[in-house]
Structures are given as C-alpha cells and as structure tokens.
Amino acid sequence: MSGIATFTPMPLYISDAAVAKVKGLVEEEGNPDLKLRVFVTGGGCSGFQYGFSFDEVAAEDDTLVEKEGVAVLVDPLSIQYLTGSTVDYEQGLQGSRFTVSNPNAATTCGCGSSFSV
C-alpha cells in the first residue's frame, strides 16, 4: 500500500433545504414510503434536462442516498451524469423548485434546468 488515500465522490448530495421540502411533501401526502427520484432525460435547450418525481418503490439497480430520513433515488443511466451533484430546493422570484448543481455539466442553460456534458 502506498498510503495515498483515494477520494470517491458521493453519488449525490442533498441540501438541507431539499431535505426540509421533501419531508414536508411526504407529510402532506401522508405516505412515508415516498422517495424523491432525480433523473436525467434528453431534451432541454442544452441537451439534457433534470427531472424530479416521487416514487414509492426503489428499483434493484437504483442508487439510494439518504439524509435525515429522506430518501433520494437515481436510476443507473442518470447517476453517471449526476455523481457529485447537489440537489437543492430554491424559492425565489421565478417560483419554487428543486434544482441540481452539477459539477459534471460543461454548459447549462439560463434557467438551470438543462445541461450538456
């Protein structure tokens, strides 16, 4: 062993604001099995776009990230684009929405909902 530590990035980071919003939405629905699903699809003005939905069941090959009792799922195709990203929840003049801060994105569109690699 060379004694050099290797760094493996977290598959996905979740901000405190996103955790709070997901907890609130899960409580509103009254379904503690709900998990936030983050995914990437083709389209958007920069080539790919982020999507968010709620899912009760994790697929066998999903990546599961948990923080403070909140579960976030990412499918195997999307995780390759999202590794090291941060899921956040923002409230501002353009409304309220989940966002992704993605260090893998080479370019993003003005609204931040699409990207290219």
Side-chain angles (χ1 to χ4, degrees):
M1 293 196 45
S2 63
I4 297 173
T6 58
F7 175 73
T8 303
M10 281 288 293
L12 197 67
Y13 299 94
I14 309 159
S15 74
D16 292 341
V19 167
K21 184 61 178 178
V22 171
K23 280 183 178 181
L25 291 170
V26 168
E27 286 175 17
E28 279 179 33
E29 289 296 315
N31 184 351
D33 294 332
L34 289 177
K35 299 158 187 58
L36 179 66
R37 181 172 290 282
V38 182
F39 55 92
V40 172
T41 60
C45 43
S46 292
F48 295 102
Q49 62 187 32
Y50 304 110
F52 303 92
S53 64
F54 279 92
D55 206 337
E56 289 184 67
V57 180
E60 188 175 301
D61 55 355
D62 279 342
T63 297
L64 171 66
V65 178
E66 292 183 282
K67 181 177 178 181
E68 298 175 29
V70 167
V72 177
L73 303 172
V74 184
D75 65 82
L77 180 63
S78 298
I79 196 66
Q80 64 186 331
Y81 298 109
L82 293 172
T83 296
S85 296
T86 300
V87 175
D88 195 8
Y89 185 77
E90 297 178 352
Q91 294 178 301
L93 296 174
Q94 297 179 345
S96 303
R97 62 189 174 133
F98 286 103
T99 62
V100 174
S101 175
N102 189 340
N104 305 306
T107 59
T108 59
C109 69
C111 66
S113 64
S114 68
F115 69 101
S116 67
V117 288

XYZ file of all heavy atoms in Angstrom:
857
model
N 0.835 -1.178 0.000
C 0.000 0.000 0.000
C 0.877 1.237 0.000
O 1.839 1.329 0.734
C -0.919 0.006 1.221
C -1.922 -1.110 1.150
S -3.339 -1.008 2.254
C -3.902 0.631 2.152
N 0.478 2.195 -0.786
C 1.287 3.406 -0.899
C 0.937 4.437 0.156
O 1.654 5.416 0.312
C 1.098 4.014 -2.297
O -0.252 4.403 -2.455
N -0.159 4.258 0.847
C -0.550 5.212 1.871
C -1.287 6.419 1.313
O -1.598 7.353 2.021
N -1.533 6.431 0.019
C -2.244 7.535 -0.603
C -3.736 7.217 -0.573
O -4.168 6.175 -1.066
C -1.784 7.760 -2.059
C -0.307 8.140 -2.069
C -2.627 8.826 -2.732
C 0.285 8.232 -3.451
N -4.490 8.108 0.010
C -5.931 7.912 0.091
C -6.559 8.260 -1.253
O -6.133 9.189 -1.931
C -6.528 8.793 1.186
N -7.556 7.496 -1.641
C -8.293 7.819 -2.850
C -9.625 8.421 -2.451
O -10.211 8.058 -1.434
C -8.525 6.567 -3.717
O -9.221 5.600 -2.942
C -7.216 5.995 -4.207
N -10.082 9.354 -3.248
C -11.331 10.043 -2.969
C -12.407 9.530 -3.913
O -12.247 9.580 -5.129
C -11.156 11.554 -3.147
C -12.437 12.317 -3.002
C -13.022 12.494 -1.754
C -13.068 12.837 -4.108
C -14.200 13.192 -1.619
C -14.254 13.540 -3.982
C -14.819 13.718 -2.737
N -13.464 9.012 -3.341
C -14.611 8.601 -4.127
C -15.737 9.579 -3.834
O -16.170 9.692 -2.688
C -15.056 7.171 -3.750
O -13.955 6.296 -3.934
C -16.220 6.729 -4.606
N -16.194 10.320 -4.853
C -17.235 11.303 -4.583
C -18.547 10.637 -4.181
O -18.835 9.520 -4.591
C -17.391 12.043 -5.919
C -16.846 11.125 -6.946
C -15.823 10.271 -6.255
N -19.303 11.345 -3.356
C -20.637 10.869 -3.014
C -21.429 10.779 -4.309
O -21.254 11.598 -5.195
C -21.336 11.869 -2.081
C -20.906 11.789 -0.647
S -21.518 10.313 0.173
C -23.269 10.621 0.193
N -22.324 9.805 -4.397
C -23.120 9.737 -5.614
C -23.974 10.989 -5.799
O -24.176 11.441 -6.905
C -23.976 8.502 -5.434
C -23.783 8.028 -4.049
C -22.606 8.744 -3.469
N -24.434 11.559 -4.678
C -25.316 12.714 -4.758
C -25.386 13.370 -3.389
O -25.433 12.681 -2.372
C -26.717 12.236 -5.171
C -27.708 13.249 -5.702
C -27.244 13.801 -7.050
C -29.064 12.604 -5.879
N -25.360 14.679 -3.358
C -25.517 15.417 -2.112
C -26.919 16.015 -2.077
O -27.489 16.351 -3.121
C -24.476 16.545 -2.018
C -23.054 16.044 -2.027
C -22.327 15.965 -3.206
C -22.443 15.635 -0.850
C -21.031 15.495 -3.221
C -21.143 15.163 -0.851
C -20.433 15.094 -2.045
O -19.152 14.621 -2.047
N -27.464 16.168 -0.893
C -28.809 16.706 -0.730
C -28.719 17.861 0.259
O -28.257 17.680 1.386
C -29.782 15.632 -0.214
C -29.696 14.377 -1.081
C -31.213 16.164 -0.190
C -30.208 13.133 -0.415
N -29.160 19.039 -0.152
C -29.082 20.211 0.720
C -30.121 20.108 1.838
O -31.105 19.371 1.739
C -29.315 21.497 -0.079
O -30.692 21.612 -0.403
N -29.900 20.882 2.883
C -30.855 20.932 3.989
C -32.215 21.444 3.513
O -33.261 20.988 3.974
C -30.326 21.813 5.117
C -29.107 21.198 5.810
O -28.894 19.973 5.689
O -28.364 21.945 6.471
N -32.206 22.410 2.579
C -33.471 22.949 2.053
C -34.248 21.872 1.299
O -35.480 21.781 1.415
C -33.198 24.143 1.144
N -33.547 21.036 0.532
C -34.215 19.951 -0.203
C -34.769 18.916 0.773
O -35.886 18.420 0.592
C -33.249 19.302 -1.190
N -34.011 18.596 1.815
C -34.479 17.641 2.827
C -35.758 18.161 3.470
O -36.750 17.433 3.596
C -33.391 17.391 3.908
C -33.973 16.675 5.118
C -32.246 16.583 3.319
N -35.761 19.434 3.849
C -36.936 20.017 4.505
C -38.152 19.990 3.590
O -39.265 19.647 4.018
C -36.630 21.451 4.938
N -37.958 20.302 2.299
C -39.086 20.322 1.363
C -39.629 18.914 1.134
O -40.846 18.706 1.120
C -38.664 20.961 0.035
C -39.808 21.107 -0.934
C -40.892 22.001 -0.360
C -42.035 22.200 -1.341
N -43.111 23.028 -0.775
N -38.736 17.950 0.945
C -39.186 16.568 0.731
C -39.940 16.078 1.963
O -41.010 15.478 1.837
C -38.012 15.629 0.385
C -38.453 14.171 0.390
C -37.418 16.000 -0.968
N -39.405 16.351 3.159
C -40.103 15.942 4.386
C -41.507 16.531 4.424
O -42.477 15.849 4.751
C -39.322 16.379 5.631
C -38.168 15.486 5.980
C -37.504 15.948 7.276
C -36.373 15.019 7.672
N -35.727 15.435 8.923
N -41.629 17.824 4.088
C -42.928 18.480 4.086
C -43.891 17.869 3.077
O -45.070 17.653 3.383
N -43.397 17.574 1.877
C -44.249 16.983 0.846
C -44.686 15.570 1.224
O -45.832 15.183 0.986
C -43.521 16.981 -0.500
C -43.296 18.358 -1.121
C -42.354 18.246 -2.323
C -44.622 18.999 -1.529
N -43.777 14.809 1.809
C -44.113 13.443 2.241
C -45.177 13.493 3.345
O -46.138 12.717 3.324
C -42.840 12.686 2.704
C -43.199 11.392 3.417
C -41.931 12.404 1.510
N -45.020 14.432 4.265
C -46.017 14.580 5.336
C -47.376 14.990 4.769
O -48.412 14.471 5.185
C -45.542 15.608 6.364
C -44.439 15.088 7.259
C -43.893 16.156 8.210
O -44.556 17.194 8.412
O -42.782 15.938 8.733
N -47.383 15.919 3.790
C -48.637 16.349 3.162
C -49.365 15.176 2.516
O -50.585 15.083 2.579
C -48.364 17.403 2.086
C -48.171 18.797 2.602
C -47.891 19.778 1.468
O -48.417 19.587 0.347
O -47.146 20.746 1.712
N -48.598 14.300 1.861
C -49.181 13.143 1.188
C -49.580 12.054 2.177
O -50.364 11.176 1.853
C -48.214 12.565 0.146
C -48.027 13.435 -1.065
C -49.313 13.605 -1.862
O -50.032 12.618 -2.092
O -49.604 14.750 -2.249
N -49.004 12.089 3.375
C -49.306 11.074 4.372
C -48.797 9.694 4.001
O -49.349 8.677 4.416
N -47.716 9.658 3.188
C -47.162 8.381 2.733
C -45.663 8.356 3.022
O -44.862 8.867 2.236
C -47.425 8.190 1.239
C -46.951 6.848 0.733
O -46.271 6.102 1.426
N -47.310 6.528 -0.493
N -45.249 7.740 4.133
C -43.832 7.735 4.499
C -42.949 6.915 3.545
O -41.721 6.974 3.646
C -43.834 7.123 5.904
C -45.091 6.330 5.981
C -46.087 7.039 5.110
N -43.557 6.170 2.609
C -42.778 5.377 1.653
C -42.305 6.193 0.456
O -41.528 5.686 -0.364
C -43.598 4.183 1.152
C -43.878 3.181 2.255
O -43.068 3.085 3.200
O -44.913 2.496 2.177
N -42.762 7.430 0.316
C -42.383 8.235 -0.843
C -40.911 8.620 -0.795
O -40.385 8.995 0.247
C -43.233 9.506 -0.925
C -44.688 9.307 -1.308
C -45.421 10.651 -1.286
C -44.820 8.662 -2.674
N -40.276 8.504 -1.967
C -38.867 8.850 -2.126
C -38.768 9.813 -3.310
O -39.486 9.664 -4.287
C -38.042 7.596 -2.422
C -38.098 6.554 -1.328
C -37.734 5.174 -1.898
C -37.931 4.062 -0.914
N -39.276 3.922 -0.380
N -37.874 10.796 -3.213
C -37.655 11.708 -4.324
C -36.798 11.014 -5.370
O -35.725 10.495 -5.058
C -36.961 12.987 -3.844
C -36.661 14.020 -4.936
C -37.951 14.589 -5.518
C -35.793 15.139 -4.381
N -37.269 10.992 -6.604
C -36.496 10.423 -7.706
C -35.956 11.575 -8.543
O -36.695 12.457 -8.952
C -37.353 9.500 -8.567
C -36.554 8.878 -9.716
C -37.343 7.823 -10.452
N -37.546 6.619 -9.671
C -36.645 5.673 -9.463
N -35.437 5.800 -9.978
N -36.938 4.610 -8.755
N -34.634 11.566 -8.758
C -33.969 12.561 -9.592
C -33.476 11.831 -10.830
O -32.866 10.761 -10.727
C -32.778 13.203 -8.849
C -32.117 14.265 -9.711
C -33.230 13.787 -7.513
N -33.748 12.409 -12.011
C -33.348 11.722 -13.239
C -32.936 12.724 -14.305
O -33.178 13.923 -14.190
C -34.468 10.806 -13.739
C -35.788 11.502 -13.950
C -36.124 12.031 -15.183
C -36.693 11.618 -12.908
C -37.338 12.668 -15.378
C -37.919 12.242 -13.086
C -38.240 12.776 -14.328
N -32.283 12.205 -15.326
C -31.829 12.988 -16.461
C -32.525 12.432 -17.695
O -32.598 11.220 -17.881
C -30.291 12.876 -16.622
C -29.826 13.528 -17.899
C -29.589 13.464 -15.417
N -33.056 13.340 -18.524
C -33.666 12.930 -19.782
C -33.074 13.761 -20.906
O -32.523 14.837 -20.676
C -35.209 13.126 -19.762
O -35.495 14.502 -19.536
C -35.863 12.276 -18.704
N -33.200 13.272 -22.124
C -32.769 14.038 -23.287
C -33.731 15.190 -23.498
O -34.908 15.115 -23.168
N -33.212 16.289 -24.032
C -34.058 17.449 -24.298
C -33.548 18.665 -23.568
O -32.430 18.683 -23.064
N -34.378 19.667 -23.504
C -33.943 20.917 -22.883
C -33.088 21.688 -23.862
O -32.634 21.160 -24.879
N -32.840 22.933 -23.584
C -32.106 23.769 -24.534
C -30.609 23.462 -24.563
O -29.912 23.897 -25.463
C -32.373 25.246 -24.268
S -32.351 25.736 -22.553
N -30.103 22.696 -23.611
C -28.668 22.375 -23.600
C -28.377 20.895 -23.866
O -27.238 20.474 -23.776
C -28.050 22.767 -22.253
O -28.045 24.158 -22.101
N -29.373 20.084 -24.137
C -29.130 18.686 -24.487
C -29.720 17.685 -23.520
O -30.278 16.677 -23.914
N -29.579 17.908 -22.226
C -30.168 17.049 -21.197
C -30.960 17.937 -20.247
O -30.645 19.114 -20.083
C -29.097 16.318 -20.380
C -28.285 15.327 -21.158
C -27.009 15.649 -21.586
C -28.791 14.067 -21.442
C -26.249 14.740 -22.290
C -28.034 13.154 -22.148
C -26.764 13.483 -22.582
N -31.942 17.367 -19.594
C -32.639 18.134 -18.569
C -32.881 17.268 -17.348
O -32.903 16.048 -17.435
C -33.938 18.730 -19.092
C -34.971 17.737 -19.548
C -36.154 18.429 -20.210
O -36.012 19.471 -20.835
N -37.312 17.845 -20.073
N -33.016 17.944 -16.213
C -33.251 17.274 -14.945
C -34.739 17.066 -14.743
O -35.550 17.896 -15.152
C -32.714 18.108 -13.769
C -31.248 18.446 -13.892
C -30.833 19.747 -14.136
C -30.282 17.456 -13.766
C -29.495 20.064 -14.244
C -28.935 17.766 -13.878
C -28.549 19.067 -14.119
O -27.212 19.360 -14.227
N -35.067 15.954 -14.103
C -36.454 15.690 -13.760
C -36.552 15.237 -12.316
O -35.592 14.692 -11.748
N -37.708 15.481 -11.722
C -37.956 15.117 -10.331
C -39.355 14.522 -10.241
O -40.293 15.040 -10.832
C -37.887 16.351 -9.418
C -36.582 17.093 -9.507
C -36.427 18.139 -10.402
C -35.516 16.739 -8.700
C -35.226 18.824 -10.495
C -34.314 17.423 -8.779
C -34.170 18.468 -9.684
N -39.481 13.443 -9.492
C -40.791 12.845 -9.241
C -40.724 12.131 -7.893
O -39.659 12.019 -7.299
C -41.166 11.863 -10.360
O -40.267 10.760 -10.382
N -41.862 11.655 -7.454
C -41.883 10.860 -6.235
C -42.206 9.426 -6.597
O -42.996 9.160 -7.502
C -42.894 11.406 -5.218
C -42.350 12.564 -4.449
C -42.554 13.862 -4.872
C -41.580 12.352 -3.312
C -42.027 14.930 -4.179
C -41.044 13.419 -2.607
C -41.268 14.710 -3.042
N -41.576 8.508 -5.905
C -41.731 7.083 -6.178
C -41.812 6.354 -4.846
O -41.127 6.713 -3.893
C -40.505 6.596 -6.968
C -40.783 5.390 -7.826
O -41.740 4.650 -7.532
O -40.030 5.189 -8.795
N -42.647 5.330 -4.788
C -42.764 4.541 -3.565
C -41.773 3.381 -3.525
O -41.419 2.907 -2.456
C -44.181 3.964 -3.432
C -45.228 5.002 -3.121
C -46.582 4.371 -2.895
O -46.729 3.646 -1.887
O -47.476 4.587 -3.725
N -41.346 2.931 -4.702
C -40.529 1.723 -4.786
C -39.194 2.031 -5.454
O -39.144 2.681 -6.496
C -41.272 0.627 -5.591
C -40.424 -0.632 -5.681
C -42.624 0.329 -4.961
N -38.127 1.559 -4.851
C -36.802 1.669 -5.448
C -36.556 0.451 -6.317
O -36.843 -0.677 -5.904
C -35.737 1.752 -4.359
N -36.038 0.676 -7.516
C -35.650 -0.434 -8.381
C -34.372 -1.054 -7.828
O -33.611 -0.402 -7.102
C -35.440 0.048 -9.811
N -34.137 -2.293 -8.181
C -32.971 -3.020 -7.669
C -31.655 -2.334 -8.020
O -30.704 -2.353 -7.249
C -32.986 -4.447 -8.240
C -31.950 -5.363 -7.643
C -32.093 -6.781 -8.171
O -33.167 -7.382 -8.002
O -31.113 -7.272 -8.761
N -31.609 -1.676 -9.194
C -30.356 -1.055 -9.633
C -30.315 0.462 -9.392
O -29.407 1.140 -9.861
C -30.087 -1.374 -11.104
C -31.236 -0.980 -12.023
O -32.297 -0.532 -11.524
O -31.075 -1.126 -13.248
N -31.274 1.002 -8.652
C -31.244 2.418 -8.291
C -30.129 2.703 -7.300
O -29.788 1.862 -6.471
C -32.560 2.844 -7.611
C -33.675 3.138 -8.596
O -33.399 3.357 -9.795
O -34.847 3.138 -8.159
N -29.579 3.909 -7.361
C -28.695 4.405 -6.314
C -29.580 5.100 -5.293
O -30.411 5.934 -5.657
C -27.669 5.400 -6.889
O -26.845 4.706 -7.831
C -26.800 5.994 -5.790
N -29.430 4.756 -4.040
C -30.223 5.329 -2.960
C -29.309 6.167 -2.082
O -28.282 5.692 -1.600
C -30.871 4.218 -2.128
C -31.554 4.649 -0.828
C -32.769 5.520 -1.108
C -31.948 3.429 -0.012
N -29.691 7.438 -1.886
C -28.964 8.329 -0.996
C -29.957 8.781 0.066
O -31.065 9.211 -0.264
C -28.394 9.545 -1.754
C -27.683 10.486 -0.803
C -27.456 9.092 -2.859
N -29.563 8.663 1.327
C -30.446 9.057 2.414
C -29.796 10.150 3.252
O -28.589 10.123 3.479
C -30.772 7.858 3.302
C -31.624 6.816 2.594
C -31.995 5.664 3.502
O -31.129 4.804 3.707
O -33.134 5.661 3.993
N -30.628 11.090 3.687
C -30.165 12.149 4.581
C -31.321 12.533 5.487
O -32.395 12.896 5.009
C -29.687 13.368 3.795
C -29.183 14.495 4.690
C -28.644 15.651 3.882
C -28.202 16.774 4.806
N -27.704 17.930 4.048
N -31.101 12.422 6.772
C -32.085 12.815 7.781
C -33.468 12.223 7.527
O -34.488 12.886 7.661
C -32.168 14.343 7.864
C -30.879 14.992 8.288
C -30.949 16.505 8.249
O -32.035 17.066 8.438
O -29.889 17.119 8.022
N -33.495 10.958 7.121
C -34.763 10.269 6.915
C -35.385 10.473 5.544
O -36.440 9.917 5.251
N -34.747 11.262 4.694
C -35.244 11.485 3.339
C -34.459 10.592 2.382
O -33.230 10.539 2.440
C -35.088 12.969 2.940
C -35.283 13.169 1.451
C -36.059 13.824 3.729
N -35.187 9.896 1.506
C -34.555 9.008 0.535
C -34.642 9.627 -0.858
O -35.696 10.111 -1.271
C -35.243 7.651 0.542
N -33.510 9.612 -1.569
C -33.449 10.092 -2.942
C -32.959 8.939 -3.812
O -31.972 8.282 -3.484
C -32.509 11.314 -3.072
C -32.390 11.754 -4.520
C -33.004 12.458 -2.199
N -33.661 8.704 -4.913
C -33.338 7.619 -5.833
C -32.818 8.178 -7.153
O -33.310 9.200 -7.631
C -34.592 6.792 -6.138
C -35.320 6.167 -4.969
C -36.635 5.549 -5.442
C -34.444 5.113 -4.313
N -31.838 7.475 -7.737
C -31.333 7.832 -9.057
C -31.146 6.535 -9.843
O -30.519 5.589 -9.351
C -29.988 8.593 -8.988
C -29.549 9.030 -10.380
C -30.086 9.788 -8.056
N -31.673 6.498 -11.062
C -31.527 5.300 -11.895
C -30.098 5.198 -12.427
O -29.355 6.182 -12.418
C -32.551 5.328 -13.044
C -32.293 6.469 -14.003
O -31.423 6.327 -14.882
O -32.954 7.525 -13.865
N -29.690 3.988 -12.875
C -28.299 3.779 -13.282
C -27.858 4.633 -14.469
O -26.696 5.012 -14.556
C -28.214 2.295 -13.624
C -29.560 1.732 -13.445
C -30.471 2.767 -12.924
N -28.753 4.957 -15.386
C -28.387 5.795 -16.524
C -28.128 7.230 -16.066
O -27.158 7.868 -16.466
C -29.500 5.775 -17.576
C -29.243 6.616 -18.821
C -28.026 6.090 -19.570
C -30.463 6.620 -19.714
N -28.969 7.736 -15.178
C -28.848 9.124 -14.721
C -27.675 9.342 -13.781
O -27.058 10.415 -13.789
C -30.138 9.558 -14.016
O -31.238 9.522 -14.911
N -27.324 8.344 -12.963
C -26.280 8.545 -11.956
C -24.939 8.877 -12.598
O -24.144 9.631 -12.033
C -26.161 7.341 -10.979
C -25.362 7.742 -9.730
C -25.543 6.134 -11.645
C -26.014 8.770 -8.862
N -24.699 8.376 -13.814
C -23.428 8.683 -14.473
C -23.296 10.179 -14.787
O -22.195 10.707 -14.866
C -23.250 7.850 -15.735
C -24.269 8.128 -16.820
C -24.138 7.191 -17.994
O -23.055 6.694 -18.295
N -25.246 6.942 -18.676
N -24.405 10.879 -14.937
C -24.383 12.321 -15.186
C -24.489 13.133 -13.894
O -24.171 14.313 -13.874
C -25.543 12.725 -16.099
C -25.486 12.084 -17.451
C -26.385 11.097 -17.810
C -24.512 12.460 -18.382
C -26.330 10.497 -19.052
C -24.448 11.859 -19.627
C -25.357 10.880 -19.962
O -25.300 10.281 -21.200
N -24.969 12.503 -12.819
C -25.271 13.231 -11.593
C -24.276 13.022 -10.447
O -24.365 13.702 -9.431
C -26.673 12.852 -11.100
C -27.818 13.297 -12.002
C -29.136 12.694 -11.530
C -27.908 14.804 -12.048
N -23.341 12.098 -10.584
C -22.402 11.827 -9.493
C -21.684 13.102 -9.069
O -21.151 13.827 -9.902
C -21.375 10.753 -9.905
O -22.075 9.534 -10.147
C -20.342 10.517 -8.819
N -21.731 13.374 -7.772
C -21.093 14.560 -7.216
C -21.970 15.798 -7.218
O -21.577 16.838 -6.713
N -23.170 15.696 -7.780
C -24.083 16.839 -7.850
C -24.787 17.063 -6.518
O -24.834 16.179 -5.671
C -25.148 16.599 -8.932
O -24.561 16.508 -10.207
N -25.351 18.252 -6.374
C -26.124 18.598 -5.190
C -27.557 18.909 -5.589
O -27.795 19.743 -6.465
C -25.529 19.827 -4.477
O -24.184 19.518 -4.092
C -26.345 20.198 -3.242
N -28.505 18.235 -4.951
C -29.921 18.525 -5.136
C -30.304 19.567 -4.093
O -30.023 19.398 -2.910
C -30.785 17.253 -4.969
C -32.265 17.594 -5.055
C -30.407 16.213 -6.005
N -30.925 20.650 -4.546
C -31.296 21.741 -3.664
C -32.760 22.101 -3.930
O -33.351 21.655 -4.909
C -30.391 22.951 -3.926
C -30.445 24.005 -2.828
O -31.061 23.747 -1.768
O -29.858 25.079 -3.029
N -33.309 22.911 -3.050
C -34.653 23.452 -3.243
C -34.558 24.950 -3.082
O -34.035 25.440 -2.079
C -35.641 22.864 -2.231
C -37.055 23.309 -2.491
C -37.792 22.744 -3.525
C -37.643 24.309 -1.728
C -39.084 23.158 -3.789
C -38.939 24.737 -1.987
C -39.648 24.150 -3.016
O -40.934 24.572 -3.282
N -35.007 25.679 -4.096
C -34.885 27.125 -4.097
C -36.248 27.784 -4.174
O -37.139 27.298 -4.876
C -34.048 27.588 -5.294
C -32.624 27.098 -5.277
C -31.829 27.536 -6.502
O -32.425 28.107 -7.451
O -30.620 27.300 -6.518
N -36.379 28.883 -3.469
C -37.568 29.721 -3.558
C -37.109 31.108 -3.953
O -36.223 31.676 -3.316
C -38.295 29.777 -2.213
C -38.877 28.436 -1.811
C -39.555 28.496 -0.457
O -38.932 28.831 0.537
N -40.836 28.166 -0.434
N -37.696 31.622 -5.036
C -37.271 32.935 -5.498
C -38.328 33.565 -6.376
O -39.474 33.123 -6.422
N -37.921 34.596 -7.105
C -38.841 35.332 -7.963
C -39.406 34.465 -9.086
O -40.503 34.714 -9.570
C -38.140 36.554 -8.558
C -37.696 37.620 -7.556
C -36.889 38.701 -8.254
C -38.903 38.207 -6.847
N -38.651 33.464 -9.515
C -39.108 32.573 -10.584
C -39.942 31.422 -10.042
O -40.292 30.507 -10.777
C -37.921 32.012 -11.363
C -37.130 33.081 -12.076
C -35.941 32.505 -12.814
O -35.536 31.367 -12.586
N -35.370 33.297 -13.702
N -40.248 31.434 -8.767
C -41.041 30.367 -8.172
C -40.176 29.451 -7.326
O -39.010 29.723 -7.070
N -40.779 28.368 -6.915
C -40.093 27.393 -6.074
C -39.839 26.133 -6.882
O -40.708 25.692 -7.629
C -40.959 27.049 -4.864
O -41.270 28.220 -4.158
N -38.652 25.541 -6.704
C -38.339 24.340 -7.481
C -37.121 23.627 -6.912
O -36.278 24.233 -6.243
C -38.082 24.697 -8.935
C -36.883 25.624 -9.106
C -36.784 26.147 -10.513
N -35.701 27.134 -10.551
C -34.766 27.152 -11.466
N -34.741 26.267 -12.433
N -33.826 28.057 -11.440
N -37.050 22.335 -7.219
C -35.841 21.577 -6.946
C -34.845 21.931 -8.045
O -35.212 22.127 -9.199
C -36.121 20.069 -6.961
C -36.856 19.589 -5.747
C -38.212 19.314 -5.804
C -36.199 19.408 -4.542
C -38.896 18.872 -4.682
C -36.870 18.975 -3.416
C -38.218 18.704 -3.493
N -33.569 22.007 -7.681
C -32.516 22.301 -8.644
C -31.371 21.309 -8.458
O -31.277 20.650 -7.430
C -31.963 23.736 -8.475
O -31.383 23.858 -7.169
C -33.048 24.778 -8.667
N -30.498 21.251 -9.448
C -29.301 20.414 -9.378
C -28.099 21.284 -9.698
O -28.074 21.975 -10.714
C -29.377 19.230 -10.374
C -28.062 18.453 -10.385
C -30.536 18.315 -10.040
N -27.119 21.266 -8.812
C -25.828 21.898 -9.067
C -24.890 20.772 -9.482
O -24.530 19.929 -8.660
C -25.335 22.602 -7.807
O -24.045 23.114 -8.023
N -24.525 20.766 -10.761
C -23.834 19.618 -11.340
C -22.417 19.976 -11.776
O -22.224 20.702 -12.746
C -24.641 19.105 -12.541
C -24.131 17.800 -13.074
O -22.989 17.417 -12.842
N -24.972 17.113 -13.810
N -21.400 19.457 -11.073
C -20.011 19.751 -11.454
C -19.600 19.080 -12.766
O -18.574 19.433 -13.342
C -19.194 19.199 -10.285
C -20.027 18.083 -9.756
C -21.462 18.548 -9.931
N -20.407 18.136 -13.258
C -20.091 17.430 -14.498
C -20.589 18.170 -15.732
O -20.233 17.815 -16.846
C -20.727 16.032 -14.485
C -20.317 15.249 -13.261
O -19.133 15.086 -12.989
N -21.289 14.787 -12.498
N -21.446 19.163 -15.557
C -22.037 19.880 -16.685
C -21.026 20.829 -17.308
O -20.432 21.655 -16.619
C -23.272 20.650 -16.225
N -20.823 20.698 -18.614
C -19.923 21.602 -19.322
C -20.614 22.942 -19.560
O -19.989 23.995 -19.461
C -19.498 20.980 -20.652
N -21.898 22.902 -19.877
C -22.688 24.116 -20.072
C -24.069 23.888 -19.480
O -24.548 22.761 -19.397
C -22.850 24.483 -21.559
O -23.487 23.397 -22.241
C -21.516 24.779 -22.214
N -24.699 24.968 -19.079
C -26.080 24.902 -18.607
C -26.862 26.006 -19.297
O -26.293 26.987 -19.787
C -26.186 25.105 -17.077
O -25.640 26.376 -16.744
C -25.455 24.020 -16.321
N -28.170 25.849 -19.313
C -28.999 26.896 -19.888
C -29.219 27.987 -18.853
O -28.865 27.846 -17.684
C -30.321 26.319 -20.365
S -31.392 25.767 -19.042
N -29.823 29.080 -19.266
C -30.047 30.218 -18.367
C -30.904 29.892 -17.172
O -30.691 30.420 -16.083
N -31.887 29.007 -17.337
C -32.779 28.702 -16.217
C -32.216 27.611 -15.316
O -32.732 27.358 -14.245
C -34.171 28.293 -16.729
S -34.201 26.754 -17.651
N -31.151 26.935 -15.759
C -30.512 25.920 -14.933
C -31.184 24.571 -14.933
O -30.796 23.678 -14.191
N -32.199 24.384 -15.785
C -32.891 23.098 -15.776
C -32.376 22.139 -16.836
O -32.795 20.992 -16.899
C -34.399 23.297 -15.940
O -34.680 23.857 -17.213
N -31.446 22.591 -17.698
C -30.857 21.668 -18.659
C -29.350 21.902 -18.720
O -28.837 22.928 -18.280
C -31.507 21.822 -20.039
O -31.192 23.051 -20.617
N -28.645 20.914 -19.292
C -27.186 20.967 -19.295
C -26.632 20.101 -20.414
O -27.353 19.320 -21.036
C -26.619 20.491 -17.954
C -26.797 19.017 -17.700
C -25.747 18.127 -17.881
C -28.018 18.513 -17.283
C -25.912 16.766 -17.654
C -28.196 17.159 -17.048
C -27.144 16.287 -17.227
N -25.344 20.227 -20.681
C -24.636 19.313 -21.584
C -23.337 18.912 -20.914
O -22.846 19.588 -20.018
C -24.381 19.977 -22.933
O -23.462 21.047 -22.783
N -22.788 17.777 -21.356
C -21.528 17.281 -20.787
C -20.460 17.233 -21.850
O -20.714 17.298 -23.003
C -21.692 15.872 -20.160
C -22.494 15.969 -18.880
C -22.313 14.904 -21.115
